Amino acid sequence: MAVLPILLVVLYGLCLLFILGFSAGQWQLTRLALRAYAKGLPPPPPAPAKWPRVLVQLPLYNEQNVVERIIDAAAALDYPTDLLHIQVLDDSTDATVALAEARVAYHAARGLRISHVCRPNREGYKAGALRYGLEENADEFVAIFDADFVPDPDFLRRTIPYFLQDKQVGVVQTRWGHLNEDESLLTRLQAFGLNAHFLIEQVGRTSAGFFINFNGTGGLWRRACIDDAGGWHTDTLTEDLDLSYRAQLRGWRFVYRPEIVAPAELPAVMDALKSQQFRWTKGAAETAHKHLGNMWRSEQPLPVKLQATFHLLNSSVYIVIMLMALLSVPLVFVRAHYHEYKAVFQLASVFLIGFTPLIYYYYTAWRLAHPDKPLWRYPGFFLLFLSVSMGLTLHNARAVILGWLGRRTPFVRTPKAGTGSPARKRRYRTGGVGWLVILEGVLAAYFAFGLVAGIYLDDFGLLPFHSLLTIGFAAICYFSIRDNS
């Protein structure tokens, strides 16, 4: 009996088991979220008689397309002027500095307490800037908005009461809206994925008392919570997820309100999306490496520990999908020539049913986000989303591996084009067409070969998988080249 085919089948089967577990976790969150919606979200607390002092931090780095927009939006917040302090944390090295300085001066002349903070260096990137801004500030609450956000004027009045209702609330996180969802297919696909996180995952975890995460922006912190948890650390690329776990392990409670929406701009080009995906997936792996042991050594209930493990290891699914994809092409030939494994392949077909909960998970989020859209639009859009997500697996799997290995990489911000801004634009690039893009093109050809081989050998079991992989990798390669030309 050949050893290589057995090894191939075993590895592929283990990948399917992992996918089944991941899919089951998403199904559980969907059920929890639907139960929460059916029960009804808790009503908002009443407005206080006396409002507390609030610091609004706007971390920036080379964002001349949107810097004026975010400063103006922060200045338009409906909150007592004497209780509001806006900090523009500007690490920029381009024209953003002058633009920010001018808008800060304008709003300061109108009576706002607003400051333009420029550090001597960019040490610690965003986390370092947030920490630097807190050093000489003692306000009780801290709101954070990235450069691509445009908060509504009533944002603070709708969120601050949750802190005053419960002294153990350390964070109030809101749902991200999408300013440019309909700009392109790429932005629609991103909105599709993000809506699932904000409408299903965050709601499901909150309703069950599981750990959730501050999403880095569009939310507020109690200053005492930040200090008690050890402040902003700079040893991961997801400083938000890191501090979230440290705070919740210290006993702080997080509130998530999906009905409060903070509009933001989605990356409109592939290199910007890739930089964002790299930061999120690598940072998640770094945070998992840092906190999984702490979680299991804590006194948290077993269900909380299990869900936190699933949460922290979410990004590892890219490694599994990449391995599964690479194994699938030689598996076409094993299926065709080793008929003694027929029973194993039939069992694998049963495990493929494990993907069904993902269809349910994304469909539920899609209906919640777009209740008026006809049902017939969902299947094709879901398959396209799945295909493009698969096309990102090489890029994201590399990020996860680097995170687990502890390789330090710089914080590459996601450049914004400035939806709704003046016609003046600067095209920021995060990198050129490197070896990874070339390899994505090679993989597109590799999976196309597997597709043709399956048809030639009259074995169509992996044809859907190879079709999605071929389209996904080809699309990612094409857009990566196009957006850098």
Side-chain angles (χ1 to χ4, degrees):
M1 185 175 290
V3 175
L4 190 58
I6 294 175
L7 181 62
L8 196 103
V9 170
V10 169
L11 285 175
Y12 192 81
L14 290 174
C15 289
L16 282 174
L17 280 173
F18 185 94
I19 296 296
L20 178 63
F22 174 81
S23 189
Q26 302 298 76
W27 177 85
Q28 180 201 25
L29 290 175
T30 307
R31 299 301 300 167
L32 289 170
L34 286 175
R35 192 179 305 163
Y37 286 122
K39 184 179 178 182
L41 298 175
K50 182 180 179 181
W51 293 94
R53 300 184 70 88
V54 178
L55 171 68
V56 177
Q57 292 188 310
L58 311 177
L60 302 172
Y61 176 68
N62 290 356
E63 293 290 4
Q64 70 177 40
N65 292 329
V66 294
V67 58
E68 294 166 306
R69 185 181 68 186
I70 179 55
I71 293 175
D72 289 345
L77 289 168
D78 178 19
Y79 204 75
T81 305
D82 60 324
L83 300 175
L84 182 66
H85 179 196
I86 300 171
Q87 263 187 354
V88 181
L89 303 171
D90 191 1
D91 285 348
S92 302
T93 58
D94 65 357
T96 303
V97 178
L99 293 170
E101 187 175 21
R103 294 315 293 168
V104 167
Y106 169 77
H107 290 296
R110 294 173 52 237
L112 284 180
R113 186 178 169 218
I114 183 170
S115 52
H116 187 211
V117 181
C118 296
R119 297 190 292 162
N121 57 63
R122 205 182 164 213
E123 182 181 352
Y125 306 109
K126 179 182 174 180
L130 294 172
R131 185 171 61 193
Y132 187 88
L134 292 177
E135 288 178 357
E136 296 183 1
N137 183 278
D139 291 337
E140 189 176 356
F141 300 101
V142 183
I144 300 171
F145 297 105
D146 284 348
D148 51 330
F149 275 69
V150 187
D152 291 332
D154 63 352
F155 185 89
L156 295 177
R157 289 189 180 272
R158 296 183 69 186
T159 50
I160 285 293
Y162 291 96
F163 292 102
L164 307 181
Q165 184 184 51
D166 183 351
K167 297 299 183 183
Q168 281 304 114
V169 170
V171 165
V172 175
Q173 175 66 53
T174 66
R175 177 163 61 96
W176 293 3
H178 314 299
L179 291 170
N180 60 332
E181 178 174 352
D182 295 324
E183 180 176 342
S184 67
L185 177 61
L186 187 62
T187 56
R188 288 194 291 273
L189 290 173
Q190 290 174 75
F192 182 82
L194 285 170
N195 286 339
H197 170 70
F198 283 100
L199 289 170
I200 301 297
E201 288 187 19
Q202 293 285 62
V203 173
R205 290 192 177 108
T206 299
S207 68
F210 297 145
F211 280 22
I212 67 168
N213 59 293
F214 171 66
N215 291 107
T217 176
L220 297 92
W221 284 83
R222 188 188 296 272
R223 174 63 186 270
C225 175
I226 296 176
D227 294 339
D228 181 63
W232 295 104
H233 289 185
T234 60
D235 54 351
T236 76
L237 290 182
T238 46
E239 72 292 325
D240 45 5
L241 181 62
D242 170 39
L243 184 55
S244 295
Y245 265 75
R246 283 188 280 122
Q248 288 169 106
L249 284 169
R250 293 283 298 170
W252 291 95
R253 193 167 77 84
F254 282 28
V255 170
Y256 174 66
R257 300 303 300 191
E259 78 280 12
I260 304 176
V261 180
E265 182 179 328
L266 295 162
V269 292
M270 184 57 68
D271 61 340
L273 173 62
K274 279 186 167 182
S275 71
Q276 185 184 72
Q277 289 287 308
F278 182 89
R279 194 172 68 248
W280 287 355
T281 51
K282 182 175 184 286
E286 291 171 333
T287 305
H289 185 267
K290 182 176 180 179
H291 289 302
L292 267 179
N294 297 332
M295 170 57 68
W296 281 97
R297 285 189 294 270
S298 73
E299 296 181 357
Q300 296 293 328
L302 181 60
V304 173
K305 291 180 179 180
L306 290 172
Q307 181 57 228
T309 301
F310 169 72
H311 185 195
L312 289 171
L313 293 179
N314 257 352
S315 62
S316 298
V317 73
Y318 290 108
I319 297 177
V320 176
I321 294 175
M322 191 69 253
L323 177 60
M324 187 175 165
L326 292 172
L327 294 173
S328 66
V329 173
L331 200 62
V332 170
F333 297 94
V334 172
R335 287 169 62 100
H337 296 102
Y338 293 86
H339 299 289
E340 59 269 30
Y341 299 129
K342 183 178 181 181
V344 176
F345 293 130
Q346 289 175 339
L347 182 62
S349 299
V350 173
F351 280 124
L352 284 173
I353 298 174
F355 283 95
T356 305
L358 287 179
I359 301 174
Y360 176 56
Y361 164 74
Y362 282 108
Y363 171 75
T364 303
W366 182 73
R367 293 304 296 168
L368 288 169
H370 304 288
D372 298 329
K373 285 193 175 180
L375 175 62
W376 62 265
R377 289 189 178 183
Y378 173 74
F381 199 77
F382 171 74
L383 289 175
L384 186 58
F385 171 80
L386 194 62
S387 178
V388 172
S389 298
M390 288 180 177
L392 282 167
T393 51
L394 175 65
H395 177 271
N396 289 348
R398 173 177 173 267
V400 173
I401 292 170
L402 289 174
W404 279 106
L405 291 176
R407 300 284 181 85
R408 300 305 298 270
T409 53
F411 184 105
V412 180
R413 62 89 178 89
T414 306
K416 315 302 183 306
T419 300
S421 293
R424 182 198 73 256
K425 303 281 185 182
R426 176 177 175 180
R427 171 73 171 92
Y428 287 107
R429 286 186 171 83
T430 56
V433 178
W435 64 269
L436 202 65
V437 174
I438 296 172
L439 192 52
E440 286 166 344
V442 171
L443 284 172
Y446 174 72
F447 296 124
F449 169 74
L451 179 67
V452 173
I455 296 173
Y456 177 78
L457 294 170
D458 200 27
D459 187 340
F460 304 101
L462 290 169
L463 188 143
F465 189 40
H466 287 151
S467 298
L468 292 172
L469 287 166
T470 302
I471 295 170
F473 274 92
I476 296 299
C477 179
Y478 166 75
F479 285 111
S480 297
I481 294 172
R482 188 199 69 174
D483 291 343
N484 277 282
S485 60

